[in-house]
Amino acid sequence: MTLDAKVPDGPIQDKWDNHRFKLKLVNPANKRKYTVIVVGTGLGGGAAAASLAELGYNVINFCIQDSPRRAHSIAAQGGINAAKNYPNDGDSIWRLFYDTVKGGDYRSREANVYRLAQVSNNIIDQCVAQGVPFAREYGGLLDNRSFGGAQVSRTFYARGQTGQQLLLGAYSSLMRQVETGKVRLFARHEMLDLVVQNGHARGIVTRNLVNGEIKSWAADAVVLATGGYGNVFYLSTNAKNSNATAAWRCHKRGAFFANPCYTQIHPTCIPVSGDYQSKLTLMSESLRNDGRVWVPKTKGDNRSPDQIPEDERDYYLERRYPSFGNLVPRDVASRNAKAVCDEGRGVGDTGLAVYLDFADAIQRLGEDTIRDKYGNLFDMYERITGENPYKVPMRIYPAVHYTMGGLWVDYNLMSTVPGLFVLGEANFSDHGANRLGASALMQGLADGYFVVPYTIGDYLAGSDQNGTTADDAEFKQTEQEVTARLEELLSINGGKSVTEFHRELGLLVWEHVGMARNKAGLTKVVDEIRALREQFWQDLRIPGDQSQLNKNLEFAGRVADYFELSELMAKDALHRNESCGGHFREESQTEEGEAKRNDDDFTYVAAWEYTGQDKEPKLNKEELSFENVKLTQRSYK
């Protein structure tokens, strides 16, 4: 099956404007007749729920946290990109578009990326109007800093808490609509399945996480904004509640899953400290503006950093990539950090870390200036490690952070299930094989504020209101299937905890589907995942029952989905016999160790179709065309 992305004709600069003009509209009086379910309250979900309600639709909004403010978007630190060119350093919509396509190693859809760059400026205006306290330079204009993969300063920021401030802006807009009654908000509810009626998404089934109630909800369309699947690796920078269940259950109901092997390893994280650590902590990429990355030139050099003179230090990113230096894209920085540690030049007790040193910046700018720019990040690092980064270099190492893969969507952000729209990190659409820093917040808000409010109207205007209710047979059947799955998990009554299984799975996936992959490892890990999954369904033990707050039951359902998803990730990585961005096949690299693409055979989106439990998934392709950007070997030198 060749997928139709429904990309409009015409010059790329005009596609979105012309497309918006041609979209069908729902008149204001009719909007109040439609109900839309929005799953998620992060930047994508919160923005979409607020915007759709503002337009007049009835919105039912769900989140698994106790408050929308706890959505994982709050954890984003460094900033949000936009092409306003305030520093007058040569930025433009076209350059943001080009940098994003190049950063994704030419594996993204051009039309979507250009639209993202187009609406980026509107996002900043929207957020300023909401009162988001972006940093400002001495003249009062909004300030910008640099991020990896760009040679201009286009990243707007609020110290090291940009995600939190943007989320509060979306949250304020959302709660205004809750107060008007246009949004019904349900916290502590987890989506456990999608209800498909006559081929269209018509609702969802949720579990109340406090009392265990299973309930169906009907609507005219469903918007999914539930984030990525990085927690399949067990250790990641994601919050423990972040999971893939909503997206995976949609996949099993007919939504194709695109490019699952594209996962991002962030180079700037606090290293692993022990076997029983439950998550990792991100240190913002913004720190690489002023911090210099280095390791000793000599293997096994265990001296403290202040005892290693300059001529015995290897500032390896600056040496290998003089044009971009420490601001190379995340996949490049991560692979290089792994390489020097594999050589035996890593630092710290484990040897799995490199230094991020601010001594030069403090000497040049003063400690007060660095404190103003990064103070909360430095404080966080000191609380976690017990080391003062104003006095000694930070130690960092790559960790799983973001997933570029996700449910396949067309230009309108609609999945292969009509009526199911997918936003932000939950879809695959904008970042190709590697996301540039400060683009996640941009995509979430672009999708929620400026894309889906237009495109969902086109779908609703062309669909029939058939009086769907949660009492229909399809809803009752899906409810029964959800309940049966929970009862099956509880009935196993084995001897191992959910966490034990998740940790074992995460180690397998990190080892074979992490920073470097090869044919032998990927082939082997598919069998190992299957064997561990079989053990999971035979030896899992979940204390408690279904009719109460039960974190073990929640996590068990999510880990069960991780087993299936991780197998698809490995199969996708195995079939894609090339290196591109975050997908690094050891068999496909240049003499200098850089990712080597195969544009003749793999210039497509791999969209996998679910064909049944324990059956081989079916590969569908969306061929990618590059009419505006020339395919070249990516270089940051």
Side-chain angles (χ1 to χ4, degrees), residues 141-163:
L141 295 177
L142 299 184
D143 198 12
N144 290 112
R145 58 188 176 199
S146 300
F147 258 61
Q151 291 181 300
V152 297
S153 295
R154 62 163 66 103
T155 304
F156 295 79
Y157 64 98
R159 296 187 79 185
Q161 50 187 251
T162 312

Side-chain angles (χ1 to χ4, degrees), residues 158-179:
R159 296 187 79 185
Q161 50 187 251
T162 312
Q164 179 186 29
Q165 298 303 327
L166 292 172
L167 184 62
L168 289 173
Y171 171 75
S172 65
S173 297
L174 172 62
M175 296 310 293
R176 177 173 177 269
Q177 296 304 319
V178 170
E179 180 67 22

Side-chain angles (χ1 to χ4, degrees), residues 303-524:
R303 290 177 292 173
S304 63
D306 61 308
Q307 294 177 336
I308 302 176
E310 280 291 313
D311 60 355
E312 296 181 32
R313 300 180 179 188
D314 181 12
Y315 295 91
Y316 57 90
L317 292 178
E318 298 173 30
R319 170 174 56 82
R320 292 196 63 181
Y321 309 98
S323 292
F324 284 75
N326 296 298
L327 288 172
V328 292
R330 291 172 175 177
D331 62 314
V332 176
S334 293
R335 281 197 298 275
N336 277 271
K338 180 180 185 297
V340 295
C341 290
D342 289 348
E343 292 171 5
R345 296 194 287 142
V347 302
D349 294 337
T350 64
L352 295 177
V354 300
Y355 287 128
L356 181 61
D357 196 337
F358 288 85
D360 285 356
I362 290 173
Q363 183 177 5
R364 184 179 73 253
L365 302 172
E367 184 174 317
D368 289 344
T369 299
I370 298 300
R371 193 179 300 276
D372 286 343
K373 294 172 74 173
Y374 310 112
N376 60 311
L377 296 171
F378 277 49
D379 293 343
M380 182 171 67
Y381 181 88
E382 185 171 8
R383 289 193 191 102
I384 292 171
T385 66
E387 298 175 354
N388 182 351
Y390 295 104
K391 304 300 181 184
V392 298
M394 291 184 180
R395 285 175 290 110
I396 57 170
Y397 193 70
V400 173
H401 178 57
Y402 187 89
T403 52
M404 287 75 67
L407 295 183
W408 185 90
V409 291
D410 62 17
Y411 190 70
N412 291 329
L413 303 185
M414 189 160 70
S415 73
T416 48
V417 177
L420 174 64
F421 293 80
V422 189
L423 314 186
E425 191 180 0
N427 75 33
F428 87 100
S429 66
D430 291 2
H431 306 300
N434 174 62
R435 177 177 69 82
L436 291 185
S439 289
L441 307 184
M442 177 172 61
Q443 186 207 351
L445 291 177
D447 289 354
Y449 282 139
F450 298 109
V451 180
V452 82
Y454 287 100
T455 60
I456 201 169
D458 182 72
Y459 167 76
L460 293 172
S463 66
D464 295 327
Q465 282 190 291
N466 56 5
T468 298
T469 73
D471 293 324
D472 292 348
E474 293 86 352
F475 287 82
K476 296 304 179 185
Q477 175 65 29
T478 306
E479 269 189 46
Q480 291 173 10
E481 293 172 8
V482 167
T483 301
R485 183 179 177 88
L486 294 172
E487 291 174 349
E488 183 181 7
L489 287 166
L490 286 164
S491 69
I492 298 171
N493 201 28
K496 290 180 66 174
S497 71
V498 175
T499 301
E500 288 179 272
F501 279 111
H502 191 188
R503 186 183 294 114
E504 290 181 40
L505 174 64
L507 287 172
L508 286 176
V509 183
W510 174 250
E511 179 67 24
H512 299 291
V513 202
M515 272 194 281
R517 300 102 183 255
N518 58 61
K519 182 178 181 179
L522 291 167
T523 304
K524 175 184 176 184

